[in-house]
Amino acid sequence: QKEVEQNSGPLSVPEGAIASLNCTYSDRVSQSFFWYRQYSGKSPELIMSIYSNGDKEDGRFTAQLNKASQYVSLLIRDSQPSDSATYLCAVSREYGNKLVFGAGTILRVKS
Amino acid sequence: SQTIHQWPATLVQPVGSPLSLECTVEGTSNPNLYWYRQAAGRGLQLLFYSVGIGQISSEVPQNLSASRPQDRQFILSSKKLLLSDSGFYLCAWSRSLGFISGNTIYFGEGSWLTVV
């Protein structure tokens, strides 16, 4: 079992729709969770971080965390073509800062 | 503000040749430093991380090595490149806040390595 699993996609949504990206992790002691966006040929950039169960909203982005189910998701409202990218889920253990990344989900927003 | 730079951005190297990728961080002291590799169509693999000068931890056995000669400088090297070393190499940093949650990792621009 991979430590961090994501559906590779591609996930295709129409412009203006809600895109839902999902991630599961295997290590129960994980405490920090991150979503990065990576455009083709570029380095990943941080979108959101979440540490507590529940929802965290930042603009059009909402991260959701459920530690009991070992599940974290990212919702993108009012999706734009510029949101088309690969979204990486990353998880960090309580002790130490090493992030373990999922393979990423390709998102395509069609205008 | 903090910035991270790595170079070169792109390089094509023959099999068996040496490699040196360099990364520097500005605007912070005693950062944690990381080297990741991303093979084509795959996720990020942590290669090395460092919590201080001369302190290097290797995550994956391979023909690569890392060094941290100065507080904000991290170097990835190889004596003899293999075809399988091709990929996108990313240097990254985080604040050395120990075990506090929320210690985000920030990436440099990346270096594309093609071994031919």
Side-chain angles (χ1 to χ4, degrees):
Chain A
Q1 182 186 11
K2 293 182 180 178
E3 292 187 65
V4 180
E5 296 205 52
Q6 298 180 252
N7 189 320
S8 62
L11 172 66
S12 294
V13 299
E15 184 176 357
I18 296 176
S20 178
L21 304 165
N22 305 315
C23 172
T24 58
Y25 59 95
S26 61
D27 191 342
R28 286 191 171 274
V29 301
S30 298
Q31 295 293 324
S32 303
F33 307 87
F34 305 85
W35 283 100
Y36 286 80
R37 178 176 60 199
Q38 186 176 25
Y39 292 114
S40 180
K42 302 296 184 182
S43 63
E45 54 181 336
L46 179 71
I47 296 176
M48 291 193 69
S49 56
I50 186 168
Y51 318 110
S52 304
N53 280 326
D55 295 357
K56 179 182 178 182
E57 185 175 321
D58 183 1
R60 296 188 295 113
F61 299 96
T62 299
Q64 299 174 318
L65 175 61
N66 184 327
K67 290 186 178 180
S69 300
Q70 296 176 238
Y71 175 92
V72 58
S73 66
L74 179 70
L75 300 178
I76 306 175
R77 291 181 299 281
D78 188 24
S79 296
Q80 302 296 310
S82 59
D83 294 326
S84 297
T86 298
Y87 289 80
L88 303 171
C89 173
V91 175
S92 176
R93 292 175 64 94
E94 179 177 6
Y95 297 105
N97 302 319
K98 292 184 290 182
L99 290 188
V100 178
F101 284 83
T105 297
I106 299 171
L107 173 66
R108 294 176 180 162
V109 181
K110 299 182 177 180
S111 57
Chain B
S1 63
Q2 299 81 21
T3 57
I4 178 170
H5 301 286
Q6 65 175 104
W7 65 94
T10 305
L11 66 165
V12 179
Q13 295 285 96
V15 170
S17 65
L19 171 73
S20 180
L21 300 178
E22 189 167 341
C23 168
T24 59
V25 179
E26 298 176 357
T28 187
S29 297
N30 195 32
N32 292 335
L33 296 173
Y34 311 83
W35 279 110
Y36 282 86
R37 176 172 62 195
Q38 187 175 38
R42 302 184 66 179
L44 290 167
Q45 179 187 36
L46 178 62
L47 302 176
F48 301 94
Y49 73 96
S50 171
V51 298
I53 295 175
Q55 300 178 63
I56 310 294
S57 295
S58 175
E59 292 293 302
V60 182
Q62 58 213 324
N63 69 321
L64 299 171
S65 62
S67 62
R68 184 169 177 174
Q70 300 182 42
D71 180 45
R72 292 170 292 172
Q73 183 184 25
F74 207 22
I75 298 172
L76 182 69
S77 304
S78 175
K79 293 182 178 178
K80 292 184 177 181
L81 285 169
L82 306 173
L83 286 174
S84 57
D85 291 324
S86 294
F88 189 39
Y89 288 81
L90 290 155
C91 182
W93 75 276
S94 67
R95 291 181 176 84
S96 57
L97 295 179
F99 310 138
I100 298 175
S101 295
N103 204 352
T104 305
I105 285 180
Y106 301 94
F107 290 91
E109 306 94 334
S111 298
W112 285 98
L113 170 65
T114 302
V115 182
V116 296

